[in-house]
Tab-separated table of all heavy atoms in Angstrom:
chain	number	residue	atom	x	y	z
A	1	MET	N	40.188	31.180	5.684
A	1	MET	CA	41.303	31.169	6.620
A	1	MET	C	42.569	31.645	5.900
A	1	MET	O	42.929	31.140	4.848
A	1	MET	CB	41.482	29.740	7.135
A	1	MET	CG	42.499	29.634	8.240
A	1	MET	SD	42.534	27.947	8.890
A	1	MET	CE	44.224	27.547	8.571
A	2	SER	N	43.260	32.621	6.469
A	2	SER	CA	44.472	33.122	5.827
A	2	SER	C	45.685	32.318	6.291
A	2	SER	O	45.713	31.830	7.412
A	2	SER	CB	44.659	34.600	6.153
A	2	SER	OG	44.821	34.756	7.545
A	3	PRO	N	46.690	32.212	5.428
A	3	PRO	CA	47.876	31.443	5.807
A	3	PRO	C	48.654	32.126	6.919
A	3	PRO	O	48.645	33.338	7.057
A	3	PRO	CB	48.694	31.381	4.511
A	3	PRO	CG	48.184	32.484	3.659
A	3	PRO	CD	46.759	32.740	4.069
A	4	SER	N	49.340	31.328	7.751
A	4	SER	CA	50.113	31.868	8.862
A	4	SER	C	51.437	32.471	8.402
A	4	SER	O	51.987	33.322	9.076
A	4	SER	CB	50.407	30.758	9.864
A	4	SER	OG	49.205	30.180	10.311
A	5	TYR	N	51.947	31.978	7.254
A	5	TYR	CA	53.242	32.434	6.766
A	5	TYR	C	53.079	32.981	5.357
A	5	TYR	O	52.291	32.472	4.575
A	5	TYR	CB	54.250	31.287	6.746
A	5	TYR	CG	54.510	30.694	8.112
A	5	TYR	CD1	53.942	29.480	8.466
A	5	TYR	CD2	55.311	31.359	9.037
A	5	TYR	CE1	54.174	28.929	9.718
A	5	TYR	CE2	55.554	30.819	10.284
A	5	TYR	CZ	54.978	29.604	10.622
A	5	TYR	OH	55.212	29.080	11.866
A	6	SER	N	53.853	34.004	5.037
A	6	SER	CA	53.813	34.552	3.690
A	6	SER	C	54.441	33.571	2.702
A	6	SER	O	55.246	32.726	3.072
A	6	SER	CB	54.574	35.879	3.633
A	6	SER	OG	55.962	35.642	3.779
A	7	THR	N	54.043	33.711	1.442
A	7	THR	CA	54.629	32.869	0.398
A	7	THR	C	56.144	33.060	0.346
A	7	THR	O	56.905	32.113	0.172
A	7	THR	CB	54.015	33.220	-0.971
A	7	THR	OG1	52.612	33.020	-0.882
A	7	THR	CG2	54.566	32.322	-2.069
A	8	GLU	N	56.575	34.306	0.545
A	8	GLU	CA	58.011	34.597	0.521
A	8	GLU	C	58.737	33.846	1.636
A	8	GLU	O	59.810	33.275	1.431
A	8	GLU	CB	58.210	36.099	0.679
A	8	GLU	CG	59.649	36.550	0.543
A	8	GLU	CD	59.786	38.066	0.723
A	8	GLU	OE1	58.766	38.777	0.593
A	8	GLU	OE2	60.892	38.514	1.009
A	9	PHE	N	58.128	33.821	2.828
A	9	PHE	CA	58.745	33.115	3.955
A	9	PHE	C	58.858	31.628	3.657
A	9	PHE	O	59.891	30.998	3.901
A	9	PHE	CB	57.925	33.344	5.232
A	9	PHE	CG	58.510	32.660	6.442
A	9	PHE	CD1	59.441	33.315	7.242
A	9	PHE	CD2	58.126	31.363	6.770
A	9	PHE	CE1	59.983	32.689	8.357
A	9	PHE	CE2	58.678	30.729	7.891
A	9	PHE	CZ	59.603	31.395	8.678
A	10	ILE	N	57.790	31.052	3.108
A	10	ILE	CA	57.803	29.616	2.783
A	10	ILE	C	58.882	29.323	1.745
A	10	ILE	O	59.614	28.338	1.858
A	10	ILE	CB	56.424	29.168	2.256
A	10	ILE	CG1	55.337	29.375	3.321
A	10	ILE	CG2	56.471	27.702	1.802
A	10	ILE	CD1	55.465	28.489	4.531
A	11	ASP	N	59.001	30.181	0.734
A	11	ASP	CA	60.034	30.001	-0.287
A	11	ASP	C	61.424	30.004	0.344
A	11	ASP	O	62.264	29.154	0.041
A	11	ASP	CB	59.961	31.120	-1.336
A	11	ASP	CG	58.861	30.876	-2.351
A	11	ASP	OD1	58.285	29.768	-2.354
A	11	ASP	OD2	58.590	31.784	-3.142
A	12	GLN	N	61.666	30.950	1.239
A	12	GLN	CA	62.975	31.043	1.890
A	12	GLN	C	63.227	29.823	2.764
A	12	GLN	O	64.328	29.275	2.780
A	12	GLN	CB	63.067	32.313	2.732
A	12	GLN	CG	63.166	33.573	1.891
A	12	GLN	CD	63.172	34.834	2.734
A	12	GLN	OE1	62.907	34.808	3.926
A	12	GLN	NE2	63.476	35.947	2.104
A	13	ALA	N	62.208	29.396	3.487
A	13	ALA	CA	62.353	28.233	4.360
A	13	ALA	C	62.652	26.991	3.531
A	13	ALA	O	63.502	26.168	3.900
A	13	ALA	CB	61.080	28.027	5.184
A	14	HIS	N	61.972	26.856	2.407
A	14	HIS	CA	62.209	25.676	1.575
A	14	HIS	C	63.617	25.690	1.007
A	14	HIS	O	64.291	24.665	0.977
A	14	HIS	CB	61.173	25.600	0.448
A	14	HIS	CG	61.283	24.330	-0.345
A	14	HIS	ND1	61.688	24.299	-1.656
A	14	HIS	CD2	61.071	23.046	0.012
A	14	HIS	CE1	61.718	23.025	-2.062
A	14	HIS	NE2	61.336	22.255	-1.079
A	15	LYS	N	64.088	26.855	0.582
A	15	LYS	CA	65.454	26.942	0.052
A	15	LYS	C	66.475	26.573	1.119
A	15	LYS	O	67.556	26.064	0.798
A	15	LYS	CB	65.728	28.350	-0.481
A	15	LYS	CG	65.117	28.544	-1.866
A	15	LYS	CD	65.345	29.951	-2.404
A	15	LYS	CE	64.622	30.144	-3.722
A	15	LYS	NZ	64.068	31.481	-3.855
A	16	ALA	N	66.141	26.823	2.395
A	16	ALA	CA	67.081	26.518	3.477
A	16	ALA	C	67.130	25.029	3.802
A	16	ALA	O	67.942	24.603	4.610
A	16	ALA	CB	66.704	27.307	4.727
A	17	THR	N	66.237	24.231	3.178
A	17	THR	CA	66.220	22.802	3.500
A	17	THR	C	67.152	21.998	2.600
A	17	THR	O	67.294	20.801	2.808
A	17	THR	CB	64.803	22.208	3.390
A	17	THR	OG1	64.355	22.306	2.023
A	17	THR	CG2	63.828	22.910	4.306
A	18	ILE	N	67.749	22.641	1.592
A	18	ILE	CA	68.691	21.910	0.745
A	18	ILE	C	69.986	22.693	0.590
A	18	ILE	O	69.992	23.920	0.706
A	18	ILE	CB	68.104	21.612	-0.663
A	18	ILE	CG1	67.675	22.906	-1.362
A	18	ILE	CG2	66.959	20.618	-0.560
A	18	ILE	CD1	67.290	22.713	-2.817
A	19	PHE	N	71.058	21.983	0.351
A	19	PHE	CA	72.396	22.573	0.150
A	19	PHE	C	72.735	23.541	1.296
A	19	PHE	O	73.254	24.628	1.094
A	19	PHE	CB	72.477	23.306	-1.197
A	19	PHE	CG	71.943	22.510	-2.357
A	19	PHE	CD1	71.079	23.086	-3.268
A	19	PHE	CD2	72.300	21.180	-2.526
A	19	PHE	CE1	70.577	22.357	-4.334
A	19	PHE	CE2	71.806	20.430	-3.596
A	19	PHE	CZ	70.939	21.021	-4.508
A	20	HIS	N	72.435	23.111	2.522
A	20	HIS	CA	72.500	24.018	3.680
A	20	HIS	C	73.663	23.670	4.614
A	20	HIS	O	73.635	24.025	5.784
A	20	HIS	CB	71.178	23.943	4.460
A	20	HIS	CG	70.822	22.522	4.818
A	20	HIS	ND1	69.573	22.141	5.217
A	20	HIS	CD2	71.565	21.405	4.791
A	20	HIS	CE1	69.572	20.845	5.446
A	20	HIS	NE2	70.762	20.362	5.192
A	21	GLU	N	74.664	23.014	4.067
A	21	GLU	CA	75.750	22.540	4.926
A	21	GLU	C	76.342	23.643	5.806
A	21	GLU	O	76.547	23.447	7.005
A	21	GLU	CB	76.850	21.921	4.051
A	21	GLU	CG	78.018	21.402	4.873
A	21	GLU	CD	79.058	20.706	4.007
A	21	GLU	OE1	78.936	20.747	2.773
A	21	GLU	OE2	79.978	20.119	4.583
A	22	GLN	N	76.623	24.810	5.206
A	22	GLN	CA	77.247	25.884	5.987
A	22	GLN	C	76.344	26.347	7.130
A	22	GLN	O	76.806	26.579	8.254
A	22	GLN	CB	77.585	27.077	5.081
A	22	GLN	CG	78.613	26.748	3.997
A	22	GLN	CD	79.894	26.129	4.560
A	22	GLN	OE1	80.422	26.617	5.558
A	22	GLN	NE2	80.379	25.060	3.963
A	23	GLU	N	75.044	26.476	6.842
A	23	GLU	CA	74.110	26.921	7.880
A	23	GLU	C	73.995	25.890	8.997
A	23	GLU	O	73.955	26.232	10.184
A	23	GLU	CB	72.710	27.173	7.288
A	23	GLU	CG	72.644	28.392	6.384
A	23	GLU	CD	72.849	28.052	4.921
A	23	GLU	OE1	73.591	27.089	4.618
A	23	GLU	OE2	72.261	28.750	4.080
A	24	ILE	N	73.939	24.607	8.610
A	24	ILE	CA	73.822	23.549	9.618
A	24	ILE	C	75.048	23.540	10.532
A	24	ILE	O	74.937	23.500	11.753
A	24	ILE	CB	73.685	22.157	8.949
A	24	ILE	CG1	72.345	22.050	8.199
A	24	ILE	CG2	73.832	21.028	9.983
A	24	ILE	CD1	71.136	21.948	9.078
A	25	LEU	N	76.222	23.605	9.909
A	25	LEU	CA	77.455	23.488	10.692
A	25	LEU	C	77.703	24.722	11.549
A	25	LEU	O	78.505	24.682	12.466
A	25	LEU	CB	78.640	23.213	9.757
A	25	LEU	CG	78.567	21.857	9.035
A	25	LEU	CD1	79.782	21.659	8.147
A	25	LEU	CD2	78.438	20.699	10.022
A	26	ALA	N	77.022	25.836	11.253
A	26	ALA	CA	77.170	27.047	12.052
A	26	ALA	C	76.087	27.146	13.125
A	26	ALA	O	76.055	28.098	13.893
A	26	ALA	CB	77.118	28.278	11.148
A	27	SER	N	75.196	26.169	13.172
A	27	SER	CA	74.039	26.250	14.054
A	27	SER	C	74.177	25.336	15.268
A	27	SER	O	74.921	24.354	15.246
A	27	SER	CB	72.788	25.844	13.267
A	27	SER	OG	71.674	25.778	14.122
A	28	HIS	N	73.445	25.673	16.333
A	28	HIS	CA	73.404	24.811	17.514
A	28	HIS	C	72.012	24.260	17.747
A	28	HIS	O	71.758	23.609	18.753
A	28	HIS	CB	73.853	25.582	18.767
A	28	HIS	CG	75.343	25.730	18.846
A	28	HIS	ND1	76.166	24.782	19.396
A	28	HIS	CD2	76.155	26.717	18.393
A	28	HIS	CE1	77.434	25.182	19.304
A	28	HIS	NE2	77.445	26.346	18.692
A	29	HIS	N	71.080	24.562	16.835
A	29	HIS	CA	69.712	24.097	17.075
A	29	HIS	C	69.043	23.802	15.746
A	29	HIS	O	68.798	24.716	14.965
A	29	HIS	CB	68.921	25.175	17.829
A	29	HIS	CG	67.624	24.675	18.368
A	29	HIS	ND1	67.451	24.316	19.685
A	29	HIS	CD2	66.442	24.448	17.758
A	29	HIS	CE1	66.202	23.893	19.859
A	29	HIS	NE2	65.574	23.962	18.705
A	30	CYS	N	68.776	22.537	15.485
A	30	CYS	CA	68.111	22.131	14.250
A	30	CYS	C	66.913	21.257	14.590
A	30	CYS	O	66.898	20.549	15.593
A	30	CYS	CB	69.054	21.326	13.364
A	30	CYS	SG	70.396	22.302	12.679
A	31	THR	N	65.889	21.332	13.737
A	31	THR	CA	64.713	20.473	13.882
A	31	THR	C	64.436	19.799	12.548
A	31	THR	O	64.396	20.460	11.512
A	31	THR	CB	63.473	21.296	14.282
A	31	THR	OG1	63.740	21.982	15.504
A	31	THR	CG2	62.259	20.380	14.455
A	32	CYS	N	64.266	18.495	12.571
A	32	CYS	CA	63.884	17.761	11.367
A	32	CYS	C	62.428	18.061	11.038
A	32	CYS	O	61.555	17.871	11.887
A	32	CYS	CB	64.067	16.263	11.592
A	32	CYS	SG	63.470	15.263	10.215
A	33	PHE	N	62.158	18.592	9.828
A	33	PHE	CA	60.768	18.924	9.510
A	33	PHE	C	59.971	17.702	9.099
A	33	PHE	O	58.774	17.782	8.883
A	33	PHE	CB	60.657	20.048	8.469
A	33	PHE	CG	61.114	19.695	7.075
A	33	PHE	CD1	60.361	18.857	6.263
A	33	PHE	CD2	62.269	20.235	6.567
A	33	PHE	CE1	60.783	18.540	4.986
A	33	PHE	CE2	62.698	19.930	5.294
A	33	PHE	CZ	61.944	19.074	4.504
A	34	TYR	N	60.632	16.551	9.009
A	34	TYR	CA	59.917	15.313	8.695
A	34	TYR	C	59.354	14.686	9.971
A	34	TYR	O	58.184	14.358	10.046
A	34	TYR	CB	60.835	14.348	7.956
A	34	TYR	CG	60.164	13.058	7.581
A	34	TYR	CD1	59.199	13.035	6.567
A	34	TYR	CD2	60.476	11.872	8.232
A	34	TYR	CE1	58.569	11.854	6.232
A	34	TYR	CE2	59.848	10.694	7.889
A	34	TYR	CZ	58.891	10.680	6.888
A	34	TYR	OH	58.275	9.510	6.561
A	35	CYS	N	60.201	14.547	10.998
A	35	CYS	CA	59.758	13.842	12.209
A	35	CYS	C	59.758	14.729	13.444
A	35	CYS	O	59.305	14.311	14.500
A	35	CYS	CB	60.625	12.612	12.448
A	35	CYS	SG	62.323	12.992	12.906
A	36	GLY	N	60.284	15.969	13.340
A	36	GLY	CA	60.271	16.867	14.486
A	36	GLY	C	61.432	16.669	15.440
A	36	GLY	O	61.511	17.332	16.470
A	37	TYR	N	62.355	15.767	15.096
A	37	TYR	CA	63.512	15.513	15.952
A	37	TYR	C	64.368	16.773	16.076
A	37	TYR	O	64.702	17.405	15.077
A	37	TYR	CB	64.332	14.372	15.346
A	37	TYR	CG	65.603	14.047	16.085
A	37	TYR	CD1	65.568	13.600	17.398
A	37	TYR	CD2	66.842	14.175	15.454
A	37	TYR	CE1	66.727	13.290	18.075
A	37	TYR	CE2	68.020	13.864	16.127
A	37	TYR	CZ	67.956	13.423	17.433
A	37	TYR	OH	69.116	13.127	18.087
A	38	GLN	N	64.694	17.137	17.325
A	38	GLN	CA	65.499	18.335	17.566
A	38	GLN	C	66.885	17.925	18.034
A	38	GLN	O	67.022	17.001	18.839
A	38	GLN	CB	64.838	19.222	18.618
A	38	GLN	CG	63.478	19.732	18.144
A	38	GLN	CD	62.910	20.793	19.064
A	38	GLN	OE1	63.139	20.780	20.265
A	38	GLN	NE2	62.161	21.713	18.496
A	39	PHE	N	67.905	18.621	17.535
A	39	PHE	CA	69.275	18.234	17.871
A	39	PHE	C	70.213	19.417	17.680
A	39	PHE	O	69.874	20.405	17.040
A	39	PHE	CB	69.730	17.065	16.983
A	39	PHE	CG	69.717	17.402	15.504
A	39	PHE	CD1	70.892	17.799	14.868
A	39	PHE	CD2	68.551	17.329	14.771
A	39	PHE	CE1	70.887	18.118	13.516
A	39	PHE	CE2	68.538	17.653	13.409
A	39	PHE	CZ	69.712	18.038	12.784
A	40	ASP	N	71.395	19.257	18.285
A	40	ASP	CA	72.472	20.223	18.101
A	40	ASP	C	73.498	19.590	17.159
A	40	ASP	O	74.125	18.588	17.519
A	40	ASP	CB	73.105	20.529	19.462
A	40	ASP	CG	74.282	21.494	19.340
A	40	ASP	OD1	74.734	21.761	18.203
A	40	ASP	OD2	74.743	21.955	20.394
A	41	PRO	N	73.658	20.132	15.955
A	41	PRO	CA	74.585	19.511	15.006
A	41	PRO	C	76.032	19.518	15.490
A	41	PRO	O	76.861	18.780	14.966
A	41	PRO	CB	74.415	20.330	13.720
A	41	PRO	CG	73.749	21.588	14.139
A	41	PRO	CD	72.980	21.289	15.382
A	42	GLN	N	76.343	20.340	16.504
A	42	GLN	CA	77.707	20.354	17.044
A	42	GLN	C	77.982	19.110	17.887
A	42	GLN	O	79.143	18.714	18.047
A	42	GLN	CB	77.930	21.600	17.906
A	42	GLN	CG	77.534	22.904	17.248
A	42	GLN	CD	78.236	23.145	15.921
A	42	GLN	OE1	79.409	22.855	15.771
A	42	GLN	NE2	77.506	23.653	14.934
A	43	THR	N	76.942	18.513	18.453
A	43	THR	CA	77.150	17.375	19.348
A	43	THR	C	76.519	16.097	18.824
A	43	THR	O	76.752	15.025	19.378
A	43	THR	CB	76.576	17.666	20.749
A	43	THR	OG1	75.177	17.938	20.629
A	43	THR	CG2	77.271	18.852	21.390
A	44	GLU	N	75.689	16.183	17.767
A	44	GLU	CA	75.060	14.991	17.201
A	44	GLU	C	76.147	14.111	16.581
A	44	GLU	O	76.905	14.579	15.723
A	44	GLU	CB	74.025	15.415	16.141
A	44	GLU	CG	73.174	14.294	15.613
A	44	GLU	CD	72.132	13.797	16.625
A	44	GLU	OE1	71.928	14.465	17.664
A	44	GLU	OE2	71.541	12.745	16.359
A	45	PRO	N	76.243	12.843	17.016
A	45	PRO	CA	77.401	12.032	16.622
A	45	PRO	C	77.377	11.514	15.184
A	45	PRO	O	78.422	11.222	14.621
A	45	PRO	CB	77.360	10.864	17.608
A	45	PRO	CG	75.925	10.774	18.011
A	45	PRO	CD	75.394	12.181	17.980
A	46	ASP	N	76.218	11.391	14.573
A	46	ASP	CA	76.154	10.638	13.313
A	46	ASP	C	75.319	11.371	12.266
A	46	ASP	O	74.275	10.884	11.838
A	46	ASP	CB	75.583	9.240	13.593
A	46	ASP	CG	75.804	8.309	12.407
A	46	ASP	OD1	76.733	8.561	11.614
A	46	ASP	OD2	75.031	7.339	12.277
A	47	LEU	N	75.769	12.564	11.870
A	47	LEU	CA	75.053	13.306	10.834
A	47	LEU	C	75.235	12.620	9.487
A	47	LEU	O	76.340	12.262	9.106
A	47	LEU	CB	75.590	14.737	10.749
A	47	LEU	CG	75.419	15.609	11.990
A	47	LEU	CD1	76.052	16.976	11.753
A	47	LEU	CD2	73.961	15.765	12.354
A	48	GLN	N	74.121	12.454	8.768
A	48	GLN	CA	74.195	11.853	7.439
A	48	GLN	C	73.825	12.909	6.399
A	48	GLN	O	72.910	13.697	6.602
A	48	GLN	CB	73.214	10.681	7.334
A	48	GLN	CG	73.551	9.540	8.271
A	48	GLN	CD	72.560	8.404	8.143
A	48	GLN	OE1	72.262	7.945	7.042
A	48	GLN	NE2	72.018	7.979	9.269
A	49	TRP	N	74.546	12.896	5.280
A	49	TRP	CA	74.378	13.947	4.265
A	49	TRP	C	73.988	13.372	2.930
A	49	TRP	O	74.417	12.296	2.552
A	49	TRP	CB	75.694	14.709	4.090
A	49	TRP	CG	76.188	15.375	5.327
A	49	TRP	CD1	77.011	14.850	6.268
A	49	TRP	CD2	75.870	16.706	5.771
A	49	TRP	NE1	77.241	15.765	7.260
A	49	TRP	CE2	76.554	16.907	6.980
A	49	TRP	CE3	75.078	17.732	5.247
A	49	TRP	CZ2	76.467	18.104	7.682
A	49	TRP	CZ3	75.000	18.923	5.951
A	49	TRP	CH2	75.688	19.101	7.153
A	50	TRP	N	73.183	14.168	2.201
A	50	TRP	CA	72.927	13.912	0.792
A	50	TRP	C	73.726	14.925	-0.027
A	50	TRP	O	74.301	15.866	0.532
A	50	TRP	CB	71.433	14.088	0.470
A	50	TRP	CG	70.594	12.898	0.783
A	50	TRP	CD1	70.964	11.579	0.717
A	50	TRP	CD2	69.234	12.902	1.228
A	50	TRP	NE1	69.903	10.787	1.091
A	50	TRP	CE2	68.849	11.552	1.399
A	50	TRP	CE3	68.307	13.924	1.476
A	50	TRP	CZ2	67.552	11.204	1.818
A	50	TRP	CZ3	67.037	13.580	1.890
A	50	TRP	CH2	66.659	12.224	2.065
A	51	ASP	N	73.706	14.777	-1.341
A	51	ASP	CA	74.355	15.739	-2.245
A	51	ASP	C	75.839	15.893	-1.923
A	51	ASP	O	76.385	16.999	-1.899
A	51	ASP	CB	73.658	17.110	-2.174
A	51	ASP	CG	72.168	17.004	-2.415
A	51	ASP	OD1	71.783	16.408	-3.431
A	51	ASP	OD2	71.399	17.509	-1.572
A	52	GLU	N	76.497	14.754	-1.667
A	52	GLU	CA	77.896	14.771	-1.227
A	52	GLU	C	78.799	15.570	-2.171
A	52	GLU	O	79.771	16.173	-1.724
A	52	GLU	CB	78.425	13.334	-1.137
A	52	GLU	CG	77.803	12.507	-0.025
A	52	GLU	CD	78.404	12.820	1.344
A	52	GLU	OE1	79.408	13.528	1.405
A	52	GLU	OE2	77.840	12.338	2.340
A	53	THR	N	78.501	15.542	-3.456
A	53	THR	CA	79.419	16.162	-4.410
A	53	THR	C	78.873	17.460	-4.996
A	53	THR	O	79.444	18.012	-5.920
A	53	THR	CB	79.727	15.189	-5.566
A	53	THR	OG1	78.504	14.848	-6.221
A	53	THR	CG2	80.386	13.915	-5.049
A	54	ASN	N	77.737	17.955	-4.461
A	54	ASN	CA	77.167	19.171	-5.034
A	54	ASN	C	77.976	20.384	-4.608
A	54	ASN	O	78.200	20.591	-3.410
A	54	ASN	CB	75.710	19.325	-4.579
A	54	ASN	CG	74.980	20.367	-5.426
A	54	ASN	OD1	75.382	21.531	-5.456
A	54	ASN	ND2	73.942	19.946	-6.104
A	55	PRO	N	78.411	21.209	-5.550
A	55	PRO	CA	79.237	22.375	-5.197
A	55	PRO	C	78.485	23.410	-4.356
A	55	PRO	O	79.112	24.250	-3.700
A	55	PRO	CB	79.645	22.956	-6.548
A	55	PRO	CG	78.668	22.409	-7.529
A	55	PRO	CD	78.232	21.074	-6.993
A	56	LYS	N	77.151	23.357	-4.339
A	56	LYS	CA	76.386	24.309	-3.513
A	56	LYS	C	76.465	23.953	-2.033
A	56	LYS	O	76.059	24.738	-1.188
A	56	LYS	CB	74.916	24.310	-3.933
A	56	LYS	CG	74.662	24.901	-5.315
A	56	LYS	CD	73.165	25.004	-5.540
A	56	LYS	CE	72.777	24.607	-6.934
A	56	LYS	NZ	71.332	24.469	-7.082
A	57	GLY	N	76.937	22.735	-1.723
A	57	GLY	CA	76.996	22.290	-0.333
A	57	GLY	C	76.115	21.084	-0.141
A	57	GLY	O	75.165	20.862	-0.888
A	58	ARG	N	76.420	20.306	0.885
A	58	ARG	CA	75.666	19.077	1.128
A	58	ARG	C	74.324	19.381	1.796
A	58	ARG	O	74.114	20.460	2.328
A	58	ARG	CB	76.489	18.144	2.016
A	58	ARG	CG	77.783	17.713	1.355
A	58	ARG	CD	78.567	16.761	2.218
A	58	ARG	NE	78.976	17.384	3.468
A	58	ARG	CZ	79.559	16.729	4.467
A	58	ARG	NH1	79.809	15.444	4.357
A	58	ARG	NH2	79.895	17.358	5.568
A	59	THR	N	73.439	18.376	1.745
A	59	THR	CA	72.126	18.481	2.379
A	59	THR	C	72.058	17.454	3.498
A	59	THR	O	72.327	16.273	3.283
A	59	THR	CB	71.002	18.208	1.363
A	59	THR	OG1	71.024	19.229	0.366
A	59	THR	CG2	69.626	18.181	2.040
A	60	LEU	N	71.712	17.911	4.693
A	60	LEU	CA	71.617	17.004	5.836
A	60	LEU	C	70.375	16.130	5.710
A	60	LEU	O	69.276	16.621	5.477
A	60	LEU	CB	71.558	17.817	7.140
A	60	LEU	CG	71.620	17.011	8.428
A	60	LEU	CD1	72.962	16.310	8.554
A	60	LEU	CD2	71.388	17.922	9.615
A	61	VAL	N	70.573	14.803	5.867
A	61	VAL	CA	69.422	13.895	5.877
A	61	VAL	C	68.696	14.046	7.198
A	61	VAL	O	67.519	14.190	7.279
A	61	VAL	CB	69.871	12.422	5.715
A	61	VAL	CG1	68.655	11.505	5.701
A	61	VAL	CG2	70.694	12.249	4.455
B	1	ZN	ZN1	63.549	13.260	11.083
């Protein structure tokens, strides 16, 4: 069975899961890859972040 996604795509997707504050705040549609919860970060009232002090940007919990 061949994989559905290229290794390059998986690498890019994984990089987008951390230090992604700018991408999250510019987006209207996010999905949690842990539980599948879908939300709009523009209207979600209680976003929680990791990596608060990382200069690359915060990571959304
Ligand atoms: Zn979740």
Side-chain angles (χ1 to χ4, degrees):
M1 187 175 121
S2 62
S4 303
Y5 299 103
S6 70
T7 301
E8 185 180 341
F9 181 89
I10 298 293
D11 280 350
Q12 288 177 349
H14 186 248
K15 281 179 185 143
T17 63
I18 57 171
F19 312 133
H20 53 196
E21 180 176 7
Q22 297 306 315
E23 290 94 329
I24 293 288
L25 295 181
S27 174
H28 282 274
H29 192 100
C30 291
T31 302
C32 174
F33 68 73
Y34 181 71
C35 68
Y37 177 62
Q38 297 190 328
F39 60 97
D40 178 349
Q42 310 303 320
T43 59
E44 188 72 11
D46 194 24
L47 297 178
Q48 296 180 50
W49 300 90
W50 277 328
D51 307 308
E52 292 281 350
T53 59
N54 195 300
K56 291 187 221 170
R58 297 182 297 173
T59 296
L60 187 65
V61 181

